[in-house]
């Protein structure tokens, strides 16, 4: 019966060592591609799209999501690494490196005749021990200085230092603005806008909002000081009926009467807003702006312009939430019974024109819980690079606030854990200790990559750093400014606790699963059994 072929004759089947070799080569190959991006001295990759679009980046998440990866194992590793980025915002490159290093260490043990199951048991013991060691390694004094250092560590690994240093405080201030006590931090309340204008280092934080459109009438004011804002969700235009209907008239006068009544309905709403504006503004001379989620027709715009009201129509729904949080007041769904408490307030409302684009700046708001980061850059790929870095920086600061602790960076955790696991393996019985030792050596891929990307001698740097840690038993990492070691806590180099925890869960688990694959079949059917 052994000669009977149970699989489709056209199927591709890889068995035992062929399957393992395929998985190991895929993991090691992806690791070699990503290794040069790690750390502040990492190199850039240029991604060129089908239509010639260019993107320069060293952000692991961007690379893995934009690259076309054909190999199924490599694609699986890329998906697991980007899953961590989606949840936490960091650790993508580290995931790929650790999976690749674990698979390479496993290859050496497999060549010596060790069964994959024994290796994975050792990996699992080492993973659990590393997670428990992580809880003893964290630094728990969280203040603004530490948050700034967390942002600096995140941004310096993705941007040039002159641009990153400009953005660090912007990112920390933005998170602190949207932070509401005893509620989770909602980063959607930080609007990220961009203008293709000036230099990347001129990116700024607006303690208010920037809308990507301006007033819709040429006679409306372009600059208003001390301005009330009516946050409206009411249609101020002639609308068709929601159901298809037809009207029959006896005379032309009847048609005119109906048209006038329809126009009067919209005009009355507009007049109610104007009367309300006169009532609240006559005593203090404040300006008045209407920001409407729905439309404002030309007749109403003309009425607003004559009254000196700024009218902005078709604002995004998300911006309407942000306006209420930034400026105060309520989002109003009817113009009847308006009160002064429904109004938001800002010190300055101004319109800025750049080429054909108009932007409205709402600044000087009181007690904002929403803000805008305005990215400036000379070209599209610079703006895209800064935008990706800011998103990661915001999430790094948010994670530090929510974890209430951080982990010393610069490879300090990996070196300390590796030394700890080398001691731990002596307490492990049987061949599983070989898996623990392989795991300990694999963790050193991070400090090795940091040293290599700085142009240092890898082995010499690693020995110096490890010896210093064993001698003084304090966290030490790889210095990127001169060959040797650095104290990450004293120099403000910190990683996120949740990022390291997720990294220690995702990478070893996937490596174990790949090592236990002993047959790969490409049988011409889609997953789930449906025919192609």
């Amino acid at each position: 019966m052994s000669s009977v072929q149970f699989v489709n004759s056209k199927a591709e089947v890889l068995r035992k060592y062929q399957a393992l070799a395929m998985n190991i080569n895929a993991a090691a190959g992806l690791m070699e591609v990503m290794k040069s991006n790690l750390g502040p001295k990492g190199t850039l990759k240029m991604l060129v799209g089908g239509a010639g679009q260019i993107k320069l980046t060293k952000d692991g998440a961007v690379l893995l999501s934009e690259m076309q990866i054909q190999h199924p194992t490599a694609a699986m590793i890329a998906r697991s690494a980007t899953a961590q980025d989606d949840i936490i915002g960091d650790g993508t490159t580290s995931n790929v490196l650790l999976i690749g290093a674990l698979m390479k260490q496993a290859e050496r043990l497999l060549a010596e005749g060790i069964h994959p199951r024994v290796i994975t048991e050792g990996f699992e013991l080492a993973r659990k021990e590393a997670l428990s060691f992580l809880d003893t390694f964290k630094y728990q004094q969280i203040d603004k200085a530490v948050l700034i250092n967390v942002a600096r560590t995140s941004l310096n690994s993705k941007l040039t230092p002159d641009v990153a240093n400009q953005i660090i405080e912007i990112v920390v201030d933005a998170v602190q603005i949207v932070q509401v006590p005893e509620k989770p931090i909602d980063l959607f309340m930080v609007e990220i806008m961009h203008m293709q204008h000036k230099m990347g280092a001129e990116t700024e934080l607006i303690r208010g909002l920037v809308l990507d459109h301006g007033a819709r009438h040429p006679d409306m004011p372009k600059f208003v000081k001390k301005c009330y804002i009516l946050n409206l969700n009411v249609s101020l235009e002639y609308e068709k009926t929601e159901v298809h209907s037809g009207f029959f008239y006896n005379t032309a006068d009847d048609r005119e009467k109906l048209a006038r009544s329809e126009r009067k309905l919209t005009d009355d709403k507009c007049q109610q807003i104007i009367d309300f504006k006169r009532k609240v503004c006559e005593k203090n001379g404040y300006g008045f702006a209407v920001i409407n989620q729905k439309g404002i027709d030309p007749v109403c715009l003309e009425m607003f312009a004559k009254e000196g009201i700024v009218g902005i129509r078709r604002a995004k729904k998300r911006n309407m939430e942000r306006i209420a949080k930034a400026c105060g007041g309520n989002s109003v769904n009817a113009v009847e019974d308006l009160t002064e408490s429904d109004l938001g307030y800002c010190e300055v409302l101004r319109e800025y024109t750049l080429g054909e684009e108009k932007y409205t700046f709402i600044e000087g708001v009181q007690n904002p819980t929403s803000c805008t980061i305005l990215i400036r850059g000379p070209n599209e790929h610079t703006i895209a690079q800064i935008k990706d870095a800011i998103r990661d920086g915001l999430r790094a600061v948010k994670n530090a606030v929510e974890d209430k602790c951080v982990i010393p960076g610069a490879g300090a955790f990996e070196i300390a854990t590796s030394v700890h696991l080398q001691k731990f393996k002596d307490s492990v019985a049987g061949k599983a200790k070989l898996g623990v030792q392989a795991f300990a050596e694999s963790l050193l891929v991070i400090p090795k990559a940091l040293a290599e990307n700085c142009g240092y001698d890898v082995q010499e740097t690693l020995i110096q750093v490890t010896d210093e840690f064993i001698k003084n038993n304090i966290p030490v990492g790889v210095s990127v400014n001169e060959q040797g070691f650095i104290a990450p806590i004293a120099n403000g180099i910190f990683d996120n606790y949740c990022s390291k925890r997720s990294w220690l869960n995702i990478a070893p688990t996937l490596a174990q699963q790949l090592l236990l694959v002993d047959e790969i079949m490409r049988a011409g059917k889609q997953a789930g059994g449906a025919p192609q």
Side-chain angles (χ1 to χ4, degrees):
M1 289 296 289
S2 60
S3 62
V4 177
Q5 180 82 27
F6 289 104
V7 183
N8 176 353
S9 59
K10 294 182 180 178
E12 295 175 36
V13 181
L14 297 175
R15 288 195 174 90
K16 285 279 183 182
Y17 296 110
Q18 285 180 311
L20 276 170
M22 174 181 160
N23 287 340
I24 290 166
N25 290 336
L30 196 58
M31 180 184 80
E32 290 301 321
V33 170
M34 303 292 290
K35 190 162 66 171
S36 60
N37 302 342
L38 190 74
K41 295 290 179 78
T43 52
L44 294 171
K45 298 278 190 287
M46 180 187 284
L47 298 173
V48 183
Q53 318 95 305
I54 292 174
K55 185 176 266 193
L56 292 169
T57 185
K58 60 177 177 175
D59 186 334
V62 175
L63 280 169
L64 292 175
S65 56
E66 301 263 350
M67 283 194 303
Q68 285 190 341
I69 300 173
Q70 300 291 337
H71 197 290
T73 307
M76 183 191 290
I77 294 168
R79 281 198 296 271
S80 72
T82 49
Q84 173 162 337
D85 183 78
D86 293 340
I87 299 163
I88 289 165
D90 201 7
T92 319
T93 308
S94 304
N95 255 311
V96 173
L97 295 192
L98 183 56
I99 293 169
L102 288 167
M103 297 297 280
K104 283 182 85 171
Q105 289 289 333
E107 183 180 28
R108 181 174 56 79
L109 295 174
L110 289 165
E112 293 173 8
I114 310 295
H115 193 277
R117 177 61 71 184
V118 175
I119 300 170
T120 57
E121 284 172 5
F123 281 1
E124 184 62 18
L125 288 169
R127 183 184 72 83
K128 288 177 179 174
E129 185 62 24
L131 283 168
S132 63
F133 180 71
L134 177 67
D135 288 326
T136 67
F137 201 73
K138 55 192 181 187
Y139 179 80
Q140 294 181 296
Q141 298 172 21
I142 300 295
D143 54 21
K144 187 170 181 182
V146 170
L147 295 179
I148 287 171
N149 286 327
V150 168
R152 181 181 286 112
T153 306
S154 175
L155 293 171
N156 274 332
S157 66
K158 294 172 178 66
L159 296 172
T160 53
D162 56 333
V163 177
N165 291 335
Q166 289 292 107
I167 296 172
I168 290 163
E169 290 210 28
I170 290 173
V171 165
V172 175
D173 289 345
V175 172
Q176 290 187 326
I177 285 170
V178 301
Q179 187 181 357
V180 178
E182 298 178 8
K183 285 189 180 179
I185 297 169
D186 183 5
L187 290 182
F188 284 110
M189 287 298 111
V190 181
E191 170 84 335
I192 299 176
M193 292 283 296
H194 65 268
M195 286 184 182
Q196 195 167 323
H197 177 53
K198 297 187 180 179
M199 301 302 290
E202 293 179 68
T203 296
E204 61 180 315
L205 174 70
I206 308 294
R207 293 174 185 273
L209 285 172
V210 181
L211 308 180
D212 56 359
H213 44 273
R216 294 301 180 190
H217 194 285
D219 295 338
M220 284 178 176
K222 308 290 183 198
F223 186 93
V224 183
K225 277 190 173 183
K226 297 187 183 301
C227 183
Y228 283 127
I229 295 171
L230 180 60
N231 189 356
L232 206 59
N233 184 24
V234 176
S235 178
L236 294 176
E237 60 185 347
Y238 164 73
E239 288 192 2
K240 293 179 180 177
T241 53
E242 288 188 15
V243 292
H244 185 67
S245 56
F247 294 91
F248 298 91
Y249 310 102
N250 291 325
T251 63
D253 285 345
D254 289 347
R255 186 186 178 284
E256 287 298 319
K257 281 178 186 174
L258 182 66
R260 278 199 300 273
S261 69
E262 285 180 326
R263 180 70 252 168
K264 184 175 182 301
L265 181 70
T266 306
D267 288 350
D268 285 350
K269 290 181 194 172
C270 194
Q271 191 59 48
Q272 282 176 302
I273 294 168
I274 291 169
D275 293 341
F276 177 60
K277 179 258 180 185
R278 288 172 180 163
K279 186 174 90 174
V280 296
C281 294
E282 64 183 359
K283 54 190 176 187
N284 51 29
Y286 284 8
F288 199 89
V290 175
I291 300 176
N292 195 9
Q293 195 177 326
K294 293 183 178 171
I296 306 176
D297 68 14
V299 177
C300 289
L301 286 171
E302 182 71 32
M303 292 170 72
F304 284 160
K306 285 179 181 175
E307 195 62 32
I309 296 173
V310 179
I312 298 172
R313 65 186 179 192
R314 307 203 190 284
K316 296 174 192 168
K317 184 179 180 183
R318 198 70 183 175
N319 277 339
M320 305 308 282
E321 292 177 42
R322 291 189 181 109
I323 288 165
K325 289 202 169 192
C327 307
N330 301 313
S331 187
V332 179
N333 295 309
V335 294
E336 293 79 25
D337 304 321
L338 291 171
T339 62
E340 198 167 335
S341 62
D342 292 325
L343 296 174
Y345 172 80
C346 69
E347 287 290 331
V348 176
L349 186 142
R350 61 188 173 93
E351 188 178 292
Y352 182 87
T353 306
L354 179 65
E356 295 182 1
E357 300 288 330
K358 288 183 177 180
Y359 298 87
T360 302
F361 286 70
I362 301 170
E363 297 174 283
V365 299
Q366 298 170 336
N367 304 318
T369 52
S370 178
C371 60
T372 302
I373 296 175
L374 182 62
I375 299 170
R376 300 180 194 270
N379 47 52
E380 285 184 11
H381 67 256
T382 301
I383 290 169
Q385 196 176 351
I386 294 172
K387 189 182 282 189
D388 290 335
I390 283 176
R391 285 206 176 112
D392 287 353
L394 286 169
R395 286 189 287 185
V397 175
K398 169 183 176 280
N399 291 337
V401 172
E402 292 182 343
D403 291 340
K404 298 185 175 62
C405 63
V406 287
I407 301 294
F413 169 70
E414 289 78 9
I415 288 162
T417 310
S418 178
V419 171
H420 176 74
L421 289 176
Q422 294 285 8
K423 295 174 185 172
F424 169 72
K425 90 173 176 201
D426 296 335
S427 64
V428 177
K431 289 184 182 176
K433 68 171 61 182
L434 297 172
V436 175
Q437 184 173 352
F439 193 102
E441 289 172 10
S442 300
L443 287 172
L444 297 176
V445 70
I446 302 295
K448 280 179 182 176
L450 288 172
E452 188 178 331
N453 291 344
C454 295
Y456 303 152
D457 183 294
V458 174
Q459 294 303 331
E460 187 183 341
T461 306
L462 201 60
I463 289 166
Q464 282 180 357
V465 178
T466 308
D467 288 349
E468 180 65 21
F469 173 72
I470 293 169
K471 184 171 139 189
N472 295 320
N473 200 29
I474 58 168
V476 286
V478 177
S479 172
V480 296
N481 297 319
E482 56 185 10
Q483 184 164 346
F485 56 84
I486 188 172
I489 295 175
N491 289 274
I493 304 167
F494 294 110
D495 291 328
N496 286 129
Y497 169 80
C498 61
S499 174
K500 290 293 181 194
R501 190 165 191 84
S502 177
W503 173 66
L504 285 172
N505 277 308
I506 290 174
T509 305
L510 183 58
Q512 289 170 51
Q513 289 176 333
L514 292 175
L515 282 173
L516 293 174
V517 171
D518 70 344
E519 196 156 337
I520 297 172
M521 289 180 282
R522 188 175 296 194
K525 284 191 176 184
Q526 292 179 346
Q532 285 187 327

